[in-house]
Amino acid sequence: MSDFETVFSPIVFLDLALLTMLFLVAIAMLRSRHLFGVVMLSGIYSLLSAAFFVSLDAVDVAFTEAAVGAGISTVLMLSGMLLTVRREKPKTPGRAPVAMLAVLATGAALIYATIDMPAFGDPNAPANSAIGQQYVERTASEIPMPNIVTAVLASYRGFDTMGETMVIFTAGVAVMLLLGVGSARGGRRVSDIDAKETSDEGKGE
């Protein structure tokens, strides 16, 4: 396959389309002040991310993103909305520039840190020259899986994956306890009307 065919292959167009949709959904989340809409857009973002991972042949990561990002996280955020108002509070003047400076400084630091990273696909990189090379050489003969990443996570690092699953489960239980699910106070919703009345009373004082 020539370089021209590689650049203009259907997979490349699919990846570009998914990345474009991810960008548009992220912008919509930033501009929305309706919390329910933000939660739904967050679920859509996770599903698009899962589709992008499938396009990269990382099916295991896509499954995790779809289950945790679009599934469990969406349910937990919807449960959290029962204890708060539906719309975001008005912005506090003067905080936006400080937040923007913090984001730009963090982004610049992360970009600067990538300078010392090895080139993408470098066979002499530490990740590829040691244990990674053994995974590549032995996976085909030891584990009947076409995807090396899936084989590593499900077999070679099976206990590590099980530990990560336990961490996610524990985090979910902790969030449910914080939300008061099943308790006497669980499910009490702060209505938008009560919040508006409280805000009006504060302005009157």
Side-chain angles (χ1 to χ4, degrees), residues 121-201:
D122 184 5
N124 297 321
N128 298 328
S129 60
I131 189 66
Q133 186 63 31
Q134 297 184 27
Y135 287 150
V136 173
E137 295 174 352
R138 296 167 53 184
T139 297
S141 59
E142 295 182 354
I143 304 174
M145 290 185 181
N147 190 298
I148 296 179
V149 177
T150 304
V152 171
L153 294 179
S155 181
Y156 292 120
R157 295 179 54 191
F159 287 107
D160 181 69
T161 303
M162 183 179 67
E164 294 174 354
T165 305
M166 294 176 61
V167 169
I168 295 174
F169 175 78
T170 304
V173 172
V175 171
M176 293 177 66
L177 292 175
L178 291 174
L179 294 175
V181 177
S183 64
R185 66 179 182 86
R188 290 193 304 174
R189 182 176 177 277
V190 180
S191 65
D192 296 341
I193 298 177
D194 294 339
K196 185 176 184 301
E197 291 176 353
T198 304
S199 177
D200 293 339
E201 291 176 0

Side-chain angles (χ1 to χ4, degrees), residues 12-177:
V12 173
F13 284 110
L14 175 61
D15 292 343
L16 291 176
L18 290 173
L19 289 174
T20 302
M21 287 187 286
L22 284 171
F23 177 78
L24 294 177
V25 172
I27 295 299
M29 291 173 61
L30 291 174
R31 296 184 60 85
S32 177
R33 293 293 176 265
H34 198 284
L35 298 184
F36 180 79
V38 171
V39 172
M40 292 295 100
L41 288 173
S42 176
I44 295 173
Y45 190 92
S46 295
L47 289 176
L48 290 174
S49 299
F52 183 68
F53 291 141
V54 171
S55 177
L56 297 177
D57 291 332
V59 182
D60 53 322
V61 182
F63 178 79
T64 303
E65 179 65 30
V68 178
I72 298 176
S73 297
T74 302
V75 172
L76 292 177
M77 286 189 287
L78 289 175
S79 301
M81 286 185 59
L82 297 175
L83 306 177
T84 184
V85 295
R86 293 184 179 180
R87 299 188 67 85
E88 183 182 1
K89 294 181 180 180
K91 295 181 179 179
T92 303
R95 292 188 177 181
V98 177
M100 180 60 69
L101 289 176
V103 170
L104 292 177
T106 304
L110 292 174
I111 294 175
Y112 178 76
T114 60
I115 298 176
D116 292 333
M117 294 180 62
F120 181 76
D122 184 5
N124 297 321
N128 298 328
S129 60
I131 189 66
Q133 186 63 31
Q134 297 184 27
Y135 287 150
V136 173
E137 295 174 352
R138 296 167 53 184
T139 297
S141 59
E142 295 182 354
I143 304 174
M145 290 185 181
N147 190 298
I148 296 179
V149 177
T150 304
V152 171
L153 294 179
S155 181
Y156 292 120
R157 295 179 54 191
F159 287 107
D160 181 69
T161 303
M162 183 179 67
E164 294 174 354
T165 305
M166 294 176 61
V167 169
I168 295 174
F169 175 78
T170 304
V173 172
V175 171
M176 293 177 66
L177 292 175

